Amino acid sequence: MAPLHQHLAFVLTLLASTVTTTLSQDEGACNDPQIIHRFTMVDYDWPSEFAREDAIESGEYIPNNNIIVGTKTYGDEVYVTVPRWRLGVPSTLNRVVVKNGSSVLQAFPSWEMQTIGDCRALQYVQSMEIDPNTGWMWIIDTGRINFLSTDCTATENICPAKIVVYDINKMEEVIRYEFPNEVVSRKKNFLNDIVIQYSNNEPRFAYISDTLGFKLVVYDRVQNQSHYYSHSSMLPEPGNGNITISGETFEVTSGINGIAMSPDMQFLYYTPMSGFAMYQIPTNVISQPGADFAGSIRKIGTRPSQTSSLTYSKNNFLYFSSLAENSIYRWNIEYDKTFQGLDTFDKVEMRTLTNVMSSDRCMSYVDVLNFDNDGYLWFSVNKLHKFHLDSMNFSDSSGTNILIWKVHMGDNSYLDMRTETTTTPVVMETSVVMETTTYTGGTAATLPVMTLSILNVMIVYMLSLSKF
């Protein structure tokens, strides 16, 4: 334990430097200038109007079956995924472009790469990761479509699951790999989220959550091989699958979902979709097959609500969505590490959270979070609960259904390898989440967000001392 005077010095420094930051929210029509793209209905940059009409007539394009989920950026471009949960999705991986004042999707890298039934093409992309250092997009393809349909049509297990690494700068494929059936099931997989780990100064490992297989899949690009780990922490938590968002209850029975990588590449964090726990596992354990996963995993804390996405920033903040609260939380890991008297991150516990953004109207189902390298947090909002409950209104009278936000946080991606940057993290007030708090019904039991006072600092300080 650090000497008392060191704790007090840290407290006084924190108190002197902390300011309250308020992010603009327009609760009327979601006109916040931080919203970059808006969609009432997802449409595409078609070769011609005739091509669009033909796609609608043939069933290739069913507008109400299209929803944006994954969002990543590279340079000035925004890339998004449209999962083929249902039939009628013409393009599953896209770039956002503006045509005649409206945001539409442009098939990426081409229309040919969206062909259903062609296993060289992309069948179903839920997520991808873009390495800002190389310009490589790591694309995960389940190979399956229509597995969350609501019209009783059958799931189509078309192709083996695969990962494709694509060079955006050169517009060419770097490498592809088909997962063997014993690693990723061809008939029951939901490759959901992906993060990248560097090794020896090159991007080597991809870690992928398989939400229906209850697995963490690992791909080694250098060896061009894969393995997986499965553990009870990747299962849905019993009784924690109901998510109530703005009065509508969305029943979910899903396992491991959101994952995040620390910028030192030492730890992977993950959460089950149906549950509140957060876990940490060292990458030197999971990067190789046959390791002691069960003996190395650690529960680090409890979230206020179910979460669909995590992202770790360069400056050791872990951001995650809080679905039942229409919010985004931030865990200041350095802050907790210091108050818990620790020198490393392998024992730190998640006790201190800040609600950095919240809006019932404009943040209804925050889905995917990620940072660019210019200090901005990007995330998609898509009312996904309404989409799956078939209660989404696609008419203009309901307002926009999908929003893509860009919010300045003064931090960068965990993949940012630059030694010097011009961004400085936004300092925010901190709320205390007590470990003994019981979360019920997805309702967060955090203290109100407020400017740090001496009382608040001392509460955090006493909580930290209680652990020594």
Side-chain angles (χ1 to χ4, degrees):
M1 173 178 158
L4 179 61
H5 71 274
Q6 291 184 12
H7 284 294
L8 291 175
F10 181 81
V11 167
L12 293 174
T13 301
L14 182 66
L15 180 61
S17 63
T18 305
V19 296
T20 301
T21 302
T22 302
L23 297 175
S24 169
Q25 299 290 317
D26 183 337
E27 292 293 338
C30 296
N31 290 324
D32 193 299
Q34 298 169 116
I35 299 173
I36 307 303
H37 296 287
R38 298 170 173 82
F39 304 81
T40 299
M41 181 181 68
V42 175
D43 207 345
Y44 296 83
D45 181 21
W46 298 93
S48 65
E49 183 60 30
F50 174 78
R52 182 180 186 274
E53 293 174 357
D54 186 60
I56 292 175
E57 183 176 348
S58 67
E60 177 189 353
Y61 174 44
I62 303 173
N64 292 6
N65 284 358
N66 290 250
I67 193 81
I68 290 172
V69 175
T71 306
K72 297 291 169 68
T73 64
Y74 182 67
D76 296 328
E77 304 289 353
V78 179
Y79 298 87
V80 300
T81 65
V82 182
R84 282 175 166 149
W85 279 317
R86 304 174 183 176
L87 301 177
V89 177
S91 178
T92 187
L93 179 62
N94 308 273
R95 176 169 45 205
V96 182
V97 296
V98 177
K99 297 284 186 177
N100 301 319
S102 298
S103 299
V104 295
L105 305 188
Q106 189 177 78
F108 184 84
S110 65
W111 278 111
E112 289 72 24
M113 276 293 287
Q114 313 300 325
T115 306
I116 295 175
D118 179 358
C119 291
R120 292 290 303 175
L122 302 173
Q123 303 304 300
Y124 173 119
V125 179
Q126 175 84 10
S127 297
M128 73 294 195
E129 182 62 287
I130 301 177
D131 180 358
N133 309 293
T134 61
W136 291 2
M137 178 186 289
W138 298 59
I139 308 162
I140 47 176
D141 182 1
T142 70
R144 312 170 64 226
I145 68 171
N146 201 42
F147 58 84
L148 290 180
S149 66
T150 57
D151 61 359
C152 298
T153 52
T155 297
E156 298 181 31
N157 302 311
I158 301 172
C159 302
K162 63 179 177 283
I163 184 167
V164 178
V165 181
Y166 192 85
D167 191 324
I168 298 174
N169 295 319
K170 296 180 179 179
M171 290 295 287
E172 65 182 27
E173 192 172 298
V174 177
I175 193 172
R176 70 167 52 208
Y177 175 80
E178 285 189 359
F179 291 102
N181 191 62
E182 61 269 23
V183 174
V184 179
S185 170
R186 185 165 178 167
K187 295 183 178 180
K188 188 182 179 182
N189 87 77
F190 183 1
L191 299 184
N192 198 324
D193 202 0
I194 176 173
V195 292
I196 305 303
Q197 179 194 355
Y198 266 64
S199 178
N200 296 323
N201 298 315
E202 64 174 329
R204 177 171 179 176
F205 297 101
Y207 300 96
I208 306 162
S209 58
D210 185 348
T211 299
L212 293 182
F214 311 129
K215 298 175 180 178
L216 181 62
V217 178
V218 184
Y219 168 64
D220 183 339
R221 181 187 62 84
V222 174
Q223 298 294 327
N224 201 32
Q225 61 187 22
S226 62
H227 61 274
Y228 76 92
Y229 285 97
S230 186
H231 186 263
S232 58
S233 61
M234 302 177 193
L235 298 172
E237 294 177 6
N240 289 335
N242 288 355
I243 311 172
T244 300
I245 304 174
S246 301
E248 288 186 281
T249 299
F250 178 37
E251 297 182 11
V252 183
T253 306
S254 296
I256 179 173
N257 188 335
I259 56 178
M261 175 68 66
S262 61
D264 61 6
M265 306 288 161
Q266 298 300 306
F267 298 101
L268 183 84
Y269 297 80
Y270 67 87
T271 64
M273 176 71 170
S274 301
F276 302 109
M278 181 94 73
Y279 298 95
Q280 178 199 70
I281 185 78
T283 54
N284 63 6
V285 173
I286 55 175
S287 60
Q288 303 301 321
D292 182 15
F293 189 100
S296 305
I297 188 173
R298 188 173 70 90
K299 180 181 177 181
I300 60 172
T302 305
R303 295 164 287 126
S305 170
Q306 293 92 341
T307 295
S308 61
S309 178
L310 317 174
T311 193
Y312 208 126
S313 72
K314 183 174 183 176
N315 288 298
N316 287 313
F317 294 99
L318 182 62
Y319 291 77
F320 58 89
S321 59
S322 183
L323 296 178
E325 298 179 303
N326 298 319
S327 299
I328 295 173
Y329 276 81
R330 181 173 86 174
W331 176 29
N332 188 334
I333 305 176
E334 289 278 5
Y335 179 92
D336 271 349
K337 179 170 71 73
T338 300
F339 271 109
Q340 293 165 32
L342 303 172
D343 296 324
T344 59
F345 294 108
D346 58 346
K347 294 181 180 179
V348 66
E349 298 178 2
M350 185 174 69
R351 302 187 204 160
T352 311
L353 301 176
T354 304
N355 186 331
V356 296
M357 286 188 70
S358 182
S359 172
D360 288 339
R361 180 173 179 83
C362 303
M363 293 174 58
S364 183
Y365 208 105
V366 176
D367 208 342
V368 175
L369 307 162
N370 68 281
F371 275 94
D372 62 20
N373 274 0
D374 296 314
Y376 289 90
L377 175 68
W378 291 75
F379 60 93
S380 56
V381 172
N382 56 19
K383 300 180 182 177
L384 194 57
H385 58 299
K386 286 183 170 291
F387 179 79
H388 286 303
L389 292 170
D390 282 334
S391 63
M392 183 173 282
N393 186 342
F394 290 94
S395 67
D396 291 333
S397 62
S398 69
T400 52
N401 288 315
I402 303 164
L403 305 171
I404 296 178
W405 286 78
K406 177 186 178 183
V407 179
H408 183 258
M409 289 292 176
D411 209 345
N412 294 328
S413 164
Y414 74 97
L415 286 168
D416 182 8
M417 299 298 172
R418 297 174 297 176
T419 57
E420 295 183 7
T421 61
T422 58
T423 58
T424 302
V426 175
V427 180
M428 296 183 177
E429 67 282 6
T430 306
S431 297
V432 180
V433 178
M434 295 188 177
E435 279 191 310
T436 55
T437 301
T438 300
Y439 297 100
T440 58
T443 300
T446 57
L447 299 176
V449 177
M450 63 190 81
T451 305
L452 273 174
S453 64
I454 294 177
L455 176 61
N456 294 332
V457 174
M458 293 311 297
I459 289 173
V460 176
Y461 177 61
M462 287 185 290
L463 282 173
S464 66
L465 289 182
S466 69
K467 283 297 182 180
F468 300 136

